[in-house]
Amino acid sequence: MMRIVCGVLLIAVTVVADQEFMSPGVRAALRVYDECQRAEGGFSVCLKKKAITFIDRVTKVDAINIGEGVRVVRSADSPIVDVPKSIGEDLDKNLPRNAEARDETLSTMLADRVARFLSSRTVMVSLPKVSPDELGRSVEEGRGKMKKMMSMMMMGFAMKMAAMIPVAIAVFFNI
């Protein structure tokens, strides 16, 4: 299942790459996919290790800009948690040798890290600054569009009623 999802992601990334547009994020995703395809411990284990390392690094950041006016910030009431080391060999030292147990341990660690990150963050949305003049123009434009839409709906209703006249005559005169 994981390979199917990653295969679909790889196809999507390849389509984007063919358009001569490779953002740093797309390049990083391709590099991770390529590294995990060749990993000795298996694709899933490699991907989980990389995800844990990524979450550990992101947890140390106080604010992340998602887009214009949208930020994920550390909650004021959440203490700065000392993130356990998990980068590289330190993570491998603490994992069981059995492949199944290793995968399960990594899944538990990843879920714990994600839960800890999400519970310590707040999404902040900044609305754009709008002047009263801009707001007034927007309202007037909306009214104009609404009037046009209402007139189109009334015309459509009138046309349907006109189409029903022959049916009403036929029913009334029993034709």
Side-chain angles (χ1 to χ4, degrees), residues 52-63:
I52 289 169
T53 302
F54 175 75
I55 295 287
D56 285 351
R57 287 181 179 155
V58 170
T59 300
K60 295 175 185 176
V61 177
D62 289 330

Side-chain angles (χ1 to χ4, degrees), residues 115-132:
R116 191 178 325 149
F117 176 79
L118 293 176
S119 64
S120 68
R121 299 293 187 244
T122 302
V123 176
M124 294 182 65
V125 177
S126 300
L127 299 175
K129 299 208 183 323
V130 180
S131 71

Side-chain angles (χ1 to χ4, degrees), residues 33-45:
Y33 179 82
D34 190 44
E35 286 175 16
C36 287
Q37 275 297 103
R38 290 188 250 125
E40 288 179 28
F43 183 80
S44 176
V45 169

